Amino acid sequence: MDRATVEQVWEWLDAVPDPEIPVISVVDLGIVRDVTWEGDTLKVAVTPTYSGCPATSVIAMDIETALRDHGIDKIKLETRISPAWTTDWLSDKGRAKLKDYGIAPPQPAGGPDRCPHCGSTAVEKVSQFGSTPCKAHWRCTDCREPFDYFKCI
Amino acid sequence: MTRDETFLQFLLRMGDNTLILGHRVSEWCGHAPVLEEDIALANTALDLIGQTQMWLGLAGEVQGEGKSADDLAFLRDAWDFRNVLLVEVPNGDFGRTLMRQFLFDAWHSIMLGRLLKSSDDRVAAIAEKASKEVAYHLERSSDTVVGLGDGTEESHRRMQEALDYLWPYVGEMFASDEVDAEMAAAGVAPDPASLREEYDSLVQRVLTEATLTIPDSRFAHKGGRDGRMHTEHLGHLLTQMQWLQRAYPGATW
């Protein structure tokens, strides 16, 4: 069997959902840093979002499983911590999907510009930390709904 | 000591600080005064444990005896730990936990900022990752210290008591010895004493805003970062943290 092209592999990886925020893929999240063939071994470099994020090992397993399902047997996953992950690496597609899902995408200003539910700009921070390491907890004072904000780092 | 042995000591100091503080903070899980604080504490602990994996992972590599970060965390006894005493003192009330966090975060953020320029690429990479997380920790612990210090009469009193209790543990973070001298000479890490000025001005600014008074004394409890004498609290902490490996040595799942 001909080995898959690197472009093909990226496409496959773009179908692997993030285990905590399944509306976006691991590629949307910007944590897949590199895909290369080394002889007959496929090397995939992955960077953690937060150093202690419990999803990291699940993500590695999901990536490996997906690639095996596509017939790749020899896979080497490398954890790459530098350059450190930044929310700048979130894809535009990923940002739009986050918003549709009810999670405000990261903003350089350090807080959400508007409520992902009703679009109001009357929002306030409840807590700097949220349901996963990458999110903070905010609420809208117009529609009264709480929402997650994807922290900008 | 050889260069690698000195480097190992430095890495253990960094990794044991985050490990022991991470464990202490995780003791709050399910016990914090409100849900948001519970989540915030658990997230902070998680970051610290994640950083521990990087520091102790590298320590195991440098040591060259085939030990993993887990081996170093779970199979050493109290005298082998190199964390400062500040991080092993018991949590006390919520105020004391947040004051300890602030006093540590302030040091941690300045230290990691310097380590970004380390001559060792592996150290610089860990610092790059960790410093983003720690900037966030410092923002939260500063805000909380100000909120509680400049809060009600009771919260102010508790925060001042916490500061009085913890202040004698601050000095150890800036105590230099031959390990630090060698690391500084090699450009791997700064001399801790050189961080004090920046630390004092940061801490002074936040504590003034919190209407709290820094104790006059510069007396410092020492003995953690060189392992000469830990407090009695570390052994108790380890009996919890290492319980599984002590009861069932080598257990895996």
Side-chain angles (χ1 to χ4, degrees):
Chain A
M1 191 182 91
D2 286 342
R3 67 177 201 195
T5 62
V6 167
E7 290 75 25
Q8 178 66 63
V9 173
W10 276 100
E11 229 170 88
W12 288 337
L13 293 177
D14 199 21
V16 177
D18 174 85
E20 295 283 351
I21 313 166
V23 288
I24 59 171
S25 76
V26 293
V27 173
D28 285 330
L29 193 56
I31 57 171
V32 180
R33 301 313 303 157
D34 204 15
V35 176
T36 44
W37 280 104
E38 210 179 73
D40 60 351
T41 303
L42 183 71
K43 277 179 68 180
V44 180
V46 179
T47 193
T49 52
Y50 284 77
S51 55
C53 183
T56 309
S57 55
V58 180
I59 288 171
M61 208 170 66
D62 289 350
I63 287 178
E64 210 172 317
T65 308
L67 295 175
R68 280 192 203 291
D69 288 348
H70 284 291
I72 299 176
D73 298 326
K74 291 189 177 169
I75 303 158
K76 216 165 119 191
L77 286 181
E78 174 209 341
T79 304
R80 190 180 287 178
I81 60 168
S82 179
W85 179 77
T86 157
T87 35
D88 295 347
W89 294 344
L90 270 171
S91 70
D92 289 340
K93 169 165 74 84
R95 281 168 207 267
K97 281 186 183 166
L98 280 178
K99 190 171 159 291
D100 290 344
Y101 190 58
I103 298 173
Q107 302 293 336
D113 56 350
R114 53 187 67 245
C115 167
H117 304 300
C118 74
S120 163
T121 53
V123 293
E124 64 182 22
K125 184 168 73 185
V126 177
S127 171
Q128 260 169 297
F129 292 87
S131 55
T132 65
C134 54
K135 288 178 288 182
H137 187 193
W138 284 63
R139 73 177 150 217
C140 173
T141 54
D142 273 341
C143 74
R144 317 295 291 170
E145 286 292 329
F147 64 90
D148 274 332
Y149 164 62
F150 209 102
K151 298 188 302 208
C152 187
I153 70 164
Chain B
M1 277 193 276
T2 66
R3 168 65 199 280
D4 271 357
E5 282 165 357
T6 316
F7 190 33
L8 174 63
Q9 289 302 308
F10 164 75
L11 294 169
L12 291 174
R13 287 172 179 186
M14 293 303 295
D16 287 345
N17 277 343
T18 51
L19 173 63
I20 300 302
L21 185 59
H23 184 82
R24 273 286 184 235
V25 174
S26 76
E27 289 172 359
W28 274 100
C29 197
H31 299 281
V34 290
L35 184 60
E36 285 77 9
E37 291 306 327
D38 205 286
I39 292 170
L41 286 162
N43 270 290
T44 305
L46 198 59
D47 285 344
L48 291 168
I49 299 298
Q51 294 165 19
T52 304
Q53 286 174 341
M54 300 193 283
W55 289 122
L56 293 189
L58 181 54
E61 230 173 83
V62 169
Q63 190 181 33
E65 294 173 14
K67 286 187 180 141
S68 67
D70 277 349
D71 292 336
L72 289 172
F74 295 119
L75 304 177
R76 283 180 300 155
D77 214 332
W79 46 79
D80 293 323
F81 277 78
R82 295 292 178 265
N83 56 282
V84 291
L85 302 179
L86 175 70
V87 298
E88 68 192 44
V89 294
N91 287 333
D93 60 14
F94 181 72
R96 193 199 278 177
T97 296
L98 264 296
M99 179 61 80
R100 182 186 58 199
Q101 192 67 39
F102 168 65
L103 295 172
F104 180 79
D105 289 344
W107 170 84
H108 204 194
S109 68
I110 296 168
M111 181 67 170
L112 292 171
R114 302 282 181 93
L115 291 179
L116 290 174
K117 298 183 278 285
S118 172
S119 60
D120 189 291
D121 291 345
R122 297 166 296 180
V123 171
I126 297 173
E128 184 192 350
K129 185 78 202 151
S131 60
K132 288 188 167 199
E133 295 160 0
V134 170
Y136 213 76
H137 297 172
L138 178 62
E139 194 184 319
R140 168 174 173 272
S141 61
S142 306
D143 281 357
T144 315
V145 162
V146 171
L148 291 173
D150 189 17
T152 65
E153 206 173 300
E154 185 183 353
S155 73
H156 175 85
R157 175 181 58 77
R158 286 185 183 230
M159 291 311 273
Q160 185 62 54
E161 280 171 12
L163 180 58
D164 294 345
Y165 176 82
L166 293 169
W167 192 251
Y169 292 97
V170 164
E172 190 188 7
M173 293 188 286
F174 306 96
S176 306
D177 61 13
E178 67 281 3
V179 170
D180 301 303
E182 203 178 320
M183 288 293 99
V188 173
D191 175 0
S194 71
L195 311 178
R196 186 76 205 236
E197 203 179 319
E198 194 179 339
Y199 181 86
D200 280 343
S201 84
L202 194 165
V203 166
Q204 178 75 55
R205 181 171 52 74
V206 173
L207 293 179
T208 303
E209 201 186 332
T211 70
L212 298 170
T213 312
I214 295 177
D216 249 344
S217 168
R218 276 249 175 161
F219 168 76
H221 293 295
K222 290 178 191 144
R225 70 196 299 273
D226 54 16
R228 194 173 42 81
M229 191 162 47
H230 280 280
T231 67
E232 68 186 279
H233 308 298
L234 180 63
H236 291 274
L237 181 151
L238 294 182
T239 60
Q240 295 289 319
M241 191 181 86
Q242 300 178 333
W243 175 84
L244 191 85
Q245 285 299 328
R246 284 169 183 263
Y248 304 99
T252 55
W253 66 90

